């Protein structure tokens, strides 16, 4: 039997009730790490909760025949090698979460990849065949970017977009560096898992994730085939005024940094209203100094982002925002300093990967539609270096980054079924 011929286990991946039950049981177990009272999780990157979750995954991988390694930025790999020198097929997502975030975001994709690759291995063992790729489950470090900025840090370092030393010396708000935090949870590797000098080269990547939007849920569609990503500009903004007394200082004499920052936030919403659904804007974090009830703020730091499917529109919005900043400086008598924290252009996923996923869902009788991802994912980094497939399962009511994030067990299991068959065909050379 050739590698491209489907074994019974792969032809009907996950249709065995025991496989699906095992996946849901494991998902319930992993969701207990960092669980919040309202049903979400909080395990920000390299916290104790993230470390406990990583230990659980390491034990699962070890029990199921994978060898666990960490690279120098804390990316975690579960390795199954069949042929030294053969390319590696990676699949995964991330285990870190937002503060009081949802339990599906990221974690589903890691566990789905682990179960799917294990099923593919089992199918080859049953058939007595050897896949054309070696396999690796990956848990990317700090995808969320909540504790350490920017987001997608682990895959950014892995793909050469973020210098390793810059990532390791990045600090959180308390001054703890990435390197120190990873060392504290035992996730700081001594070398690289892949690339020059390791003898391992990545040949392809696949990721499944909850949609975090409403398109699939509204349409009653089970699988999203991601064919493109929105572009994004993320900024770090400093608004500087002068500290003074809130009671004694005349309004006309104030250089209120918080007033200036408030005008920036309003300007962002006005930009979104101007361009409609073709532009998303936000201020996701705002820090005020000295943050005293009787002191006019001297400094405010903000993290802003603009997102659009059009790079030209993104450039136009950036120019308009810059012009508005100049007006706010005069209006509020403050200074505004800005810099890009993270930026990426809107791009297409490889059409061959989209076509492969479309054929799989057709063969398995699963409803699907092509979708864009407005959010950033580790796959948006990986697609720039290797053939990549990105899949979505529905998010009920489009809720994400919140404790009431929810995807049905049935959709979770269908997603694992589809991912299993996609990986089986990728391992057979479908994207070579």
């Amino acid at each position: 039997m050739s590698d491209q011929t489907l074994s019974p286990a792969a032809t009907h991946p996950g249709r065995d009730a025991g496989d699906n039950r095992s996946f849901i049981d494991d998902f319930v177990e992993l969701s207990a790490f960092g669980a919040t009272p309202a049903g979400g999780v909080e395990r920000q990157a390299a916290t104790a909760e993230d470390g406990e979750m990583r230990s659980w995954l390491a034990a699962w991988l070890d029990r199921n025949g994978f060898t666990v390694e960490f690279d120098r930025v804390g990316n975690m790999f579960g390795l199954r090698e069949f042929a030294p020198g053969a390319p590696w097929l990676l699949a995964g997502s991330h285990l870190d979460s937002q503060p009081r975030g949802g339990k599906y975001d990221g974690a589903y994709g890691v566990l789905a990849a682990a179960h799917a690759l294990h099923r593919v291995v089992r199918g080859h063992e049953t058939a007595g065949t050897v896949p054309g790729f070696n396999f690796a489950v990956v848990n990317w470090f700090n995808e969320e970017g909540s504790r350490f900025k920017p987001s997608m840090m682990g895959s950014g370092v892995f793909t050469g977009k973020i210098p390793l030393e810059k990532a390791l010396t990045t600090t959180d708000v308390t001054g703890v560096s990435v390197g120190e935090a990873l060392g504290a949870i035992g996730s700081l590797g001594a070398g690289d898992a892949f690339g020059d000098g390791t003898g391992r080269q990545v040949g392809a990547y696949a990721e499944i994730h909850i949609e975090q939007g409403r398109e699939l849920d509204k349409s009653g569609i089970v699988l999203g085939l991601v064919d493109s990503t929105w572009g994004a500009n993320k900024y770090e903004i400093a608004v500087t005024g002068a500290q003074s007394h809130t009671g004694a200082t005349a309004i006309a004499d104030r250089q209120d940094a918080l007033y200036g920052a408030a005008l920036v936030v309003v300007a962002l919403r006005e930009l979104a209203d101007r361009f409609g659904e073709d532009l998303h804007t936000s201020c996701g974090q705002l820090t005020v100094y000295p943050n005293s009830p009787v002191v006019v703020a001297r400094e405010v730091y903000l993290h802003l982002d603009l997102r659009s499917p059009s790079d030209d529109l993104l450039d136009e919005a950036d120019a308009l925002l810059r012009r508005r900043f100049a007006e706010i400086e005069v209006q509020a008598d403050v200074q505004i300093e800005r810099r890009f924290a993270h930026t990426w252009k809107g791009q297409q996923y490889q059409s061959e990967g989209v076509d492969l996923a479309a054929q799989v869902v057709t063969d398995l009788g699963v409803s699907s539609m092509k979708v864009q991802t407005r959010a950033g994912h580790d796959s948006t980094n990986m697609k720039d270096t290797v053939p990549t497939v990105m899949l979505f399962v529905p998010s009920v009511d489009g809720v994400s980054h919140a404790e009431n994030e929810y995807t049905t067990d049935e959709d979770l299991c269908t997603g694992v079924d589809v991912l299993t068959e996609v990986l089986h065909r990728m391992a057979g050379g479908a994207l070579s």
Side-chain angles (χ1 to χ4, degrees), residues 329-367:
E329 286 183 312
V330 175
Q331 183 177 352
D333 195 14
V334 296
Q335 292 182 324
I336 299 177
E337 179 185 351
R338 71 168 208 162
R339 68 178 182 86
F340 283 113
H342 196 194
T343 183
W344 63 87
K345 298 293 186 183
Q347 292 184 8
Q348 301 292 314
Y349 283 76
Q350 293 95 340
S351 60
E352 296 86 352
V354 179
D355 292 343
L356 169 63
Q359 187 59 57
V360 167
V361 293
T362 298
D363 292 346
L364 295 181
V366 176
S367 62

Side-chain angles (χ1 to χ4, degrees), residues 122-166:
R122 188 178 62 196
H124 279 286
E125 289 176 342
T126 300
T129 57
V130 177
F133 281 72
N134 299 310
F135 299 153
V137 179
V138 56
N139 165 32
W140 300 109
F141 172 68
N142 189 40
E143 191 274 352
E144 292 292 358
S146 56
R147 182 182 180 190
F148 301 105
K149 301 169 186 62
S151 58
M152 302 185 293
M153 181 180 284
S155 60
V157 172
F158 188 84
T159 56
K161 297 182 178 183
I162 300 174
L164 173 64
E165 207 49 43
K166 180 179 180 181

Side-chain angles (χ1 to χ4, degrees), residues 288-321:
V288 181
Y289 295 98
N291 204 27
S292 168
V294 292
V295 177
V296 174
R298 69 175 183 269
E299 296 170 287
V300 179
Y301 295 92
L302 305 90
H303 287 265
L304 318 178
D305 69 57
L306 309 179
R307 301 175 191 244
S308 176
S310 166
D311 292 338
D312 290 340
L313 190 153
L314 208 54
D315 290 341
E316 182 181 354
D318 177 78
L320 290 169
L321 189 61

